Amino acid sequence: MTQVKMFHTVAAILLGAQALTLDIEEEAGVLVLNENNFDEAVKIHEYILVEFYAPWCGACVSFAPEYVKAASRLSDRKSSIKLAKVDATMEERLADKYNVNYLPTLKFFTNSNPTDYDGGMTDREIVDWLRLKSQPNRGEAEELSGPVHILTTAGSLDAFLTTHEKALVAYCSEPNSQLLEIFKQASLNVKDHSFGLVQDASLINSTEFVEDGQIHLHKRIRIGMYDLPRVEYKGGFDVNELQKFIEANSFPTILQLEPKTAQYVFNSEVKTHVLLLVSSLNGEFETLAEPLMNVAQEIRERAGNVMDKSVLFVVVDTDNADHSKLLTILGVQKKLGSLPTIRIIKLGKKGEPIKKYKPAGSLGIYWDPERVKKFVEDYLEGKLESYLISQKLPKDWDANPVKVLTAENFDDIAFDKEKNVLVQFYSPWCGYCHRLEPIYEEVAKVFSRRFDGGVDYIIAKIDATANELENTNITQYPTIKLYKRGTNKVIDFIGKRSVEALVKFVETGGKSLEQANEESREKDEL
């Protein structure tokens, strides 16, 4: 092949590749990917961050402006790093392939190899994270001893801490110490943290905030404003204890509940949460939540860093409309004298009810670190009783065909042995419940129109998000239960939600429409 032909061939290949790139649609500087162009995009671009989102996801909508600003920053810097997005509701196979379990989820691809994004959610945090991920370590050289990095100079220590997101560093000049032995054992077992060792006594002495014979957990990227950048290990010479410390302290001392931290809150092995219900607009993050940092860390250390025995402090911004459902579940109203306040919740296993605890007296709206500490200690020592929430019973609760129940009158009405009582457990924000409402109203009218007024039957409903019952746990909406006359046996309705099916279910004491019709046919045949 002549040089001219070869030149044209290479040029055609390059132009073809460029054309492929240009075929990918962009929105505000962000590549729009789908199943047809995804593999091509991650192959062409050495570094590419991909957001999996849904148009209906509130957290995704809030995050979108930051993502666009990050793309603009990278473009202004002439960076080769690209930002892209995938509508997970339209590209379900892509979402499944990359294990997208919550939204938004971000994946960073380096030469087509994906890793989880665990940086911040502002444009600056995104760009800083990407810059560090896409640049090789420019610090001084370091030696390796198995999985442990041997740090011999201030430069190598600094480079190690700025390059690795979660790093354990042992500052230990004694080569045969027990501390160093458990540190090396942990480095073999813990795969998602980096391990560094400083053995030079003069370097240890010149390093701020550390002493010889200590292990520190350093976190370059912090999760929220209350995450400590450095935590000292204060346990004994036990590798299991050290590993529990690493696991527990990977979480911030105090978490702010927001889209990027929700996964840490609800998926954590820590099931006891201290909820600090405060207003960001009133400056209560700084005046009430921040002073509790030391108390939260002390309680964590007292639990021995054991996750299922520990406590997670969570800041909930009461000015955020997205948290109104949580306030309802807690029975907290946004009115003068109710906020700020504090609650403890204990999450059970799936399907189990949440247990809630509240302080007595003025601690509800006025607190200081010592009083909060005493409240949490009383809980941990089993001195507190959980509480159930209830709405106030309306005066006209029985004025309409569908009776209104609250926790106050539920037992008296539902467990009336003289009647078959049908109860719908609903949620005000449940679309299925809204669609059921006219059907359920008609069922009640069917019985009220009978010659005797349907005195042997009660059709009722209860807002299950605002009323809790001692022996009834509702996990989905709507749930319909029949409390059977004579025995109070509770039977769940699982058939088609039609007027005919519900009426027959009540009349027959809990039989489905199909069962009732079958029995009727058998009688006719006899």
Side-chain angles (χ1 to χ4, degrees), residues 24-38:
I24 300 177
E25 179 188 353
E26 279 193 20
E27 289 183 1
V30 177
L31 299 177
V32 180
L33 303 185
N34 53 48
E35 193 171 10
N36 294 327
N37 62 19
F38 191 93

Side-chain angles (χ1 to χ4, degrees), residues 427-498:
S427 161
W429 52 77
C430 163
Y432 294 109
C433 301
H434 290 301
R435 288 195 284 273
L436 176 63
E437 191 170 352
I439 296 171
Y440 203 69
E441 290 277 356
E442 184 58 33
V443 171
K445 289 176 182 177
V446 167
F447 289 102
S448 66
R449 286 195 291 260
R450 293 187 172 180
F451 73 92
D452 60 355
V455 293
D456 293 330
Y457 308 94
I458 293 179
I459 311 300
K461 65 179 181 179
I462 183 169
D463 181 350
T465 67
N467 297 276
E468 294 177 320
L469 307 171
E470 190 70 44
N471 298 309
T472 304
N473 181 40
I474 304 301
T475 58
Q476 61 182 23
Y477 307 107
T479 289
I480 301 174
K481 294 178 180 286
L482 177 70
Y483 294 78
K484 193 172 180 179
R485 178 172 51 223
T487 63
N488 286 154
K489 181 181 178 182
V490 183
I491 305 171
D492 287 314
F493 177 79
I494 56 175
K496 181 181 178 182
R497 298 183 189 126
S498 66

Side-chain angles (χ1 to χ4, degrees), residues 494-514:
I494 56 175
K496 181 181 178 182
R497 298 183 189 126
S498 66
V499 174
E500 183 184 10
L502 287 166
V503 168
K504 189 66 69 175
F505 182 68
V506 176
E507 287 178 333
T508 60
K511 294 178 181 178
S512 69
L513 182 61
E514 292 75 18

